[in-house]
Amino acid sequence: MNLSIQLAPENERGLLLANPVMTASGAFGYGTEDNHLFDIQRLGAIVCKGTTLEPRDGNPQPRLMETAGGLLNSIGLQNIGIAALIKEKAPIWAKWRVPVIVNIAGETIDEYAELAETLDGVAGVSALEVNISCPNIKAGGAEFGANAESAARVTAAVRRATSLPVLVKLTPSVSDIAAIATAVAEAGADAISLINTLKGMAIDIDKRKPLLGSVTGGLSGPAIKPVALAMVYQVAGAVEIPIIGCGGITTADDAIEFIMAGASAVQVGTAGMVNPRAPVDILEGIEEFMLKEGIESITGLIGIARC
Ligand SMILES: Cc1cc2nc3c(=O)[nH]c(=O)nc-3n(C[C@H](O)[C@H](O)[C@H](O)COP(=O)(O)O)c2cc1C
């Protein structure tokens, strides 16, 4: 069976994954924390926590809240900053066979470009995922992903600043996701990942106050899967570049649905907070499905449910 997939076919460095299962940014830290629970190197790729130029403490507590079928988070991009990532994490990644993709976020286009330039050539960094979709920060984030023009401007600036493969991560909080995806592809993205969380909130009726410290947060988990799947399906009909599906993927069947809708790879986020082994369980489930169905290559599954 061949599970390998090339996510940046047009990029001179390429981004070849041994299989299509990746961790989603923010759910598995830097890939170094869960190694005692399963061999993280069996996965196709690791996407690390969203990284900014300076370290960030994130938003006020409480920042996590379980909802029916989902999770609300308002972490607010708490992270160690680019300098510590290069000093402390990249040297570990450089010894791994699994590619690590660094998720980057800025408040201005120049910040995105500076992050991209700084990471170019850092051993252990295989690609960038440009987060223009975080709903939990006051400036930048989802603002850039909200319309085609600003999404394209960030993508083009990152493209100019690095020779690394560039994935751009889209927000579902838009009226025409296909138009944003098309603009991002035309601006030089190698691949598109979607979706980030949907803006949501919860209220403590006894205290008569919002439950999250920053009032609203991002909804993830099984509750958003049908939304994410429909958006992947739509984007797959609009662009030629590879798509990475994300949003509520909890089982191998979920992952296969995304691949059949047109995704070349998938990311697993919230499911890992219930079952830290979820990504590897999903990978094994995909292998079982392919064996049972006599499918020799994962590429034979991509988009086969498309009408
Ligand atoms: C606690 C938490 C932190 C997250 N942090 C980031 C982040 O730093 N950058 C990013 O692009 N997405 C972040 N996300 C969004 C996930 O990567 C993913 O797009 C989203 O949760 C949907 O997938 P899921 O339902 O499998 O979790 C975060 C999600 C959660 C739950």
Side-chain angles (χ1 to χ4, degrees), residues 156-282:
V158 171
R159 175 73 291 156
R160 278 193 300 273
T162 184
S163 59
L164 284 166
V166 173
L167 285 52
V168 178
K169 184 165 177 183
L170 303 186
T171 169
S173 304
V174 294
S175 52
D176 187 353
I177 191 94
I180 313 252
T182 305
V184 157
E186 282 170 0
D190 291 294
I192 290 175
S193 45
L194 75 159
I195 59 174
N196 208 314
T197 54
L198 290 127
K199 189 178 264 200
M201 73 179 289
I203 288 178
D204 182 330
I205 59 168
D206 295 321
K207 293 189 182 147
R208 283 117 168 108
K209 290 259 184 292
L211 266 155
L212 292 172
S214 54
V215 183
T216 60
L219 182 66
S220 62
I224 71 167
K225 195 196 101 182
V227 176
L229 191 61
M231 289 193 156
V232 164
Y233 188 93
Q234 212 181 332
V235 168
V239 300
E240 300 290 327
I241 57 176
I243 293 165
I244 299 126
C246 176
I249 297 174
T250 308
T251 64
D253 287 7
D254 293 338
I256 293 164
E257 280 189 71
F258 277 80
I259 294 168
M260 288 184 170
S264 295
V266 293
Q267 294 180 350
V268 181
T270 302
M273 297 181 197
V274 181
N275 166 23
R277 283 182 48 90
V280 88
D281 288 349
I282 288 168

Side-chain angles (χ1 to χ4, degrees), residues 50-305:
T51 301
T52 50
L53 283 176
E54 299 301 327
R56 285 174 64 103
D57 292 334
N59 288 332
Q61 300 279 359
R63 311 194 294 194
L64 283 177
M65 160 79 207
E66 206 173 332
T67 62
L71 176 75
L72 278 171
N73 93 80
S74 61
I75 305 296
L77 289 181
Q78 178 184 7
N79 77 98
I80 60 176
I82 192 75
L85 178 137
I86 291 171
K87 191 162 171 255
E88 294 161 23
K89 308 295 177 187
I92 301 173
W93 300 335
K95 297 192 190 108
W96 290 0
R97 65 172 188 276
V98 62
V100 177
I101 300 167
V102 176
N103 182 285
I104 58 169
E107 291 188 1
T108 63
I109 293 180
D110 286 348
E111 282 188 16
Y112 280 99
E114 192 179 335
L115 284 158
E117 203 179 341
T118 310
L119 287 165
D120 196 49
V122 172
V125 177
S126 294
L128 303 180
E129 182 176 65
V130 185
N131 176 3
I132 50 168
S133 44
C134 181
N136 297 326
I137 47 176
K138 287 204 184 79
E143 256 176 44
F144 288 116
N147 73 72
E149 204 222 322
S150 55
R153 277 196 290 131
V154 177
T155 307
V158 171
R159 175 73 291 156
R160 278 193 300 273
T162 184
S163 59
L164 284 166
V166 173
L167 285 52
V168 178
K169 184 165 177 183
L170 303 186
T171 169
S173 304
V174 294
S175 52
D176 187 353
I177 191 94
I180 313 252
T182 305
V184 157
E186 282 170 0
D190 291 294
I192 290 175
S193 45
L194 75 159
I195 59 174
N196 208 314
T197 54
L198 290 127
K199 189 178 264 200
M201 73 179 289
I203 288 178
D204 182 330
I205 59 168
D206 295 321
K207 293 189 182 147
R208 283 117 168 108
K209 290 259 184 292
L211 266 155
L212 292 172
S214 54
V215 183
T216 60
L219 182 66
S220 62
I224 71 167
K225 195 196 101 182
V227 176
L229 191 61
M231 289 193 156
V232 164
Y233 188 93
Q234 212 181 332
V235 168
V239 300
E240 300 290 327
I241 57 176
I243 293 165
I244 299 126
C246 176
I249 297 174
T250 308
T251 64
D253 287 7
D254 293 338
I256 293 164
E257 280 189 71
F258 277 80
I259 294 168
M260 288 184 170
S264 295
V266 293
Q267 294 180 350
V268 181
T270 302
M273 297 181 197
V274 181
N275 166 23
R277 283 182 48 90
V280 88
D281 288 349
I282 288 168
L283 171 59
E284 286 170 5
I286 295 173
E287 285 167 349
E288 268 168 41
F289 178 84
M290 288 173 65
L291 209 58
K292 179 169 68 91
E293 300 287 325
I295 298 158
E296 278 168 20
S297 170
I298 194 77
T299 52
L301 276 179
I302 299 171
I304 57 164

